[in-house]
Amino acid sequence: MSHLTDIAIHENAPRRIGIVESDARDKTRKVVIAYSSRHSKYGKYIKRRTVLQVHDDVAEDVVGSKGRGGTLGWFEAFGPRTHEFSIASVGVDFGIPGAPGPVLDGSPASIAIWTDAVGNGHPADATLLASIDLVLVDSVDTGLQKASFDPPAVVPAGTTFFVGAVMDIPADSYPAAADTSGGSTGSWVAFDPAGFEVADVGSALDLGRLVDFGLDWRWMITATAVVEPGPDDCNGNAIPDSCEITDGSEDDDNGNGGPDVCESLE
């Protein structure tokens, strides 16, 4: 697709090999990169792993409103994490080449993050955490419009959250880009011809998951988290050691409060 950007990688750039651990989902693969590095504080080599979700990020279709204008919102839901973390940026694809309707360059839009105050996974109760207003530029050619949050938006532990976009659209326009081969039960859409505010998506006249409207698709939306290992994070994966021990992802057989992996390698 024309909105994808070619990235040149220098021939001498460092490379790491990952292993595909799961291919259960259509066009999405779980890739694990295992490696060892010296810890800056303890001076020991520790085992680390980076887990990547590799997905076909090509938008094949769009969603909008036929015959009437109004406010359109589209967002992805993400399940709760065991620890507090921050989101530095959110990217949303607006439109695809050849889509019906007008190109909406110059139109205002909001990219936002909401939390699920009730914890039921439904955006009707969503609470606005942070939002950035922008004006669409080269939306069809570049696709991804990125909003950076400064300071990053902090998502509390155990909280379901949503990321996406809200904008007013004219009749017969289709700005919400979707991957038709990457279905998700967490892809939500909201529309109201009378309009609604980004802080009140639950008031939209129509609010539901894409699958509820017969579309087994996934929105072209990405979120980038801040990775800042702290003193209680000996393996440097931005998850507190105490959380990893509690949820069983790391062992602490000697009971000293630190993951055994940080003490087993020299």
Side-chain angles (χ1 to χ4, degrees), residues 133-245:
D133 297 328
L134 50 80
V135 175
L136 301 187
V137 177
D138 295 330
S139 58
V140 172
D141 293 331
T142 61
L144 186 70
Q145 305 281 307
K146 186 176 180 180
S148 297
F149 296 88
D150 186 16
V154 179
V155 179
T159 303
T160 299
F161 63 99
F162 309 89
V163 296
V166 172
M167 67 181 300
D168 293 332
I169 61 172
D172 301 312
S173 58
Y174 305 86
D179 180 354
T180 61
S181 61
S184 168
T185 58
S187 298
W188 292 82
V189 61
F191 180 76
D192 196 326
F196 61 88
E197 299 296 325
V198 66
D200 191 21
V201 296
S203 67
L205 177 65
D206 296 311
L207 176 61
R209 300 175 301 168
L210 279 179
V211 293
D212 297 330
F213 296 99
L215 301 174
D216 189 20
W217 299 354
R218 178 191 299 272
W219 297 126
M220 299 296 293
I221 296 174
T222 61
T224 303
V226 178
V227 179
E228 296 180 346
D232 182 30
D233 181 19
C234 78
N235 55 8
N237 63 357
I239 303 175
D241 297 337
S242 57
C243 292
E244 293 187 284
I245 293 171

Side-chain angles (χ1 to χ4, degrees), residues 53 57 72 102 114 118 125 160 185 198 200 203 226 235 247 252:
Q53 302 293 331
D57 61 350
L72 178 71
W114 301 265
V118 178
D125 307 305
T160 299
T185 58
V198 66
D200 191 21
S203 67
V226 178
N235 55 8
D247 66 21
D252 180 24

Side-chain angles (χ1 to χ4, degrees), residues 14 21 26 30 34 39 61 104 128 153 167 183-184 208 230-231 239 246-247 265:
E21 282 199 349
D26 183 27
K30 177 183 178 182
H39 194 275
D61 216 323
L104 298 180
L128 182 65
M167 67 181 300
S184 168
I239 303 175
T246 299
D247 66 21
L265 297 177

Side-chain angles (χ1 to χ4, degrees), residues 108-121:
S110 297
I111 292 180
I113 305 169
W114 301 265
T115 57
D116 180 8
V118 178
N120 60 3

